[in-house]
Amino acid sequence: MAISNGKEVFVKGRVVTSKRQSLPKARNNSLSNILAAIRRYSVSSIADVQVRITTGESQVEVPTDQDGVFECLIDYCKEERVQVELVGKEDYQAVPVQKSITRLGGKHGLISDIDDTILISHATEIGKKFWLSISKNAYTRRPFPGVSEFYHNLKVEGAYEVFYVSSSDWSLFDLIEDFLEYRNIPKGPILLKDKHINLKNIWKSGGGSHHHKSEKIRFLLSFFPEMNFVLMGDSGQHDPEIYAEIKREFPDRIRAVFIREVRSKSTNLPERDQMKDSLGFHFVKNTEEAIEIAQSLKLFQK
């Protein structure tokens, strides 16, 4: 991933062993999807290698961490691409990779969760979530009704840049990209959980601490200082608490917060009432309700 605010380029990626993965198809059965999931999670991260990032006349070198993840900021030289290559590791037959730089600007941005916000995942039910994650693919996973319309209204009518911040792991990056394209949901930078998931701990995918979400949202607020944001999440994985923390810290930068209710038990909690009253949160049962509220708040206007 390479995104720019017009001054710098933020580059992030993960170095892994190569994998062979056929393109998913809508007609694939569960067995085909399970085999694809096994291949996806069979790759190994390559830790402690130097990665050289080059764009125009700017160049930096950074190491990968224990999960094979690297990231850096590099001066924006009005180039359209960055080149990423391994340095000084002759035992790896690595080919340099070029990525397009996505320059983003404007006044408004949408930061959206993925699981149970746009993608039906049953994240609060481990068994259902695990089965969906291995038995379905990008074309057979289902979105919530109305999400494509809602996000396109924000992007086209309201000129919102779209960002995705999720607790899904990096192994699902290609699946999420394909899902967004197939379901006609606006694409945007995807910031996922850095911790590497493999076949031994595949059942932990999407679980654990969600603290990284607040870190990534803070990064976006810092990297795009002139942009105000709408936050979209769900009530199943601590999004309300994370977004409340962000809203209190950046009260003038958050235009609205929408939380999709996925747990009926959480609808009457006192802390949720406080979020509604003091922070202006909007807890919604479906996308149609969110669209009506967005229209009343004039979010679809530039």
Side-chain angles (χ1 to χ4, degrees), residues 62-255:
V62 293
T64 60
D65 65 14
Q66 62 181 1
D67 294 299
V69 176
F70 65 90
E71 64 178 53
C72 73
L73 291 173
I74 186 170
D75 290 339
Y76 179 58
C77 303
K78 297 184 178 180
E79 296 285 336
E80 294 183 358
R81 305 182 75 82
V82 295
Q83 178 169 290
V84 180
E85 56 188 325
L86 293 189
V87 180
K89 281 289 183 180
E90 297 180 357
D91 45 338
Y92 293 112
Q93 296 181 343
V95 178
V97 174
Q98 289 197 348
K99 291 289 293 183
S100 296
I101 297 173
T102 302
R103 181 173 175 179
L104 303 169
K107 297 180 180 179
H108 307 311
L110 165 66
I111 299 177
S112 174
D113 181 38
I114 295 175
D115 288 327
D116 286 330
T117 299
I118 63 172
L119 173 68
I120 297 174
S121 302
H122 300 291
T124 60
E125 302 176 61
I126 295 177
K128 282 187 177 181
K129 177 178 172 58
F130 177 71
W131 177 246
L132 276 177
S133 67
I134 65 171
S135 67
K136 303 288 185 180
N137 62 41
Y139 301 139
T140 55
R141 295 295 298 269
R142 293 187 297 122
F144 284 96
V147 167
S148 176
E149 176 191 354
F150 187 17
Y151 284 27
H152 274 291
N153 283 343
L154 287 171
K155 185 173 180 63
V156 177
E157 303 298 330
Y160 282 74
E161 302 288 5
V162 182
F163 305 87
Y164 296 96
V165 175
S166 171
S167 290
S168 293
D169 59 271
W170 275 76
S171 298
L172 297 176
F173 189 92
D174 58 337
L175 183 149
I176 294 169
E177 274 200 324
D178 291 341
F179 169 81
L180 293 173
E181 181 174 2
Y182 181 66
R183 295 298 183 177
N184 194 30
I185 299 171
K187 286 188 173 183
I190 302 171
L191 299 173
L192 302 175
K193 197 170 187 177
D194 294 342
K195 184 67 178 175
H196 179 50
I197 300 293
N198 55 32
L199 286 175
K200 293 181 180 179
N201 57 7
I202 185 175
W203 59 274
K204 293 183 179 180
S205 178
S209 171
H210 302 280
H211 179 67
H212 75 99
K213 283 187 179 180
S214 59
E215 294 178 344
K216 290 176 171 62
I217 293 172
R218 286 189 178 89
F219 164 74
L220 292 174
L221 285 159
S222 173
F223 194 63
F224 298 102
E226 298 178 0
M227 198 177 290
N228 295 325
F229 290 90
V230 169
L231 306 181
M232 298 285 302
D234 64 88
S235 62
Q237 289 189 314
H238 305 289
D239 287 347
E241 291 75 19
I242 293 169
Y243 292 176
E245 182 181 316
I246 296 295
K247 175 67 174 177
R248 293 188 183 101
E249 190 172 343
F250 304 94
D252 298 328
R253 301 282 307 279
I254 306 302
R255 298 189 73 191

Side-chain angles (χ1 to χ4, degrees), residues 248-277:
R248 293 188 183 101
E249 190 172 343
F250 304 94
D252 298 328
R253 301 282 307 279
I254 306 302
R255 298 189 73 191
V257 179
F258 293 87
I259 300 293
R260 184 187 295 278
E261 286 283 10
V262 297
R263 280 181 169 178
S264 58
K265 294 181 181 179
S266 66
T267 57
N268 297 317
L269 294 177
E271 53 266 35
R272 300 293 162 86
D273 291 334
Q274 185 179 10
M275 291 175 188
K276 294 176 187 177
D277 297 336

Side-chain angles (χ1 to χ4, degrees), residues 31-42:
L31 178 58
S32 298
N33 293 327
I34 290 171
L35 293 174
I38 291 173
R39 288 191 293 270
R40 176 180 293 113
Y41 286 101
S42 293

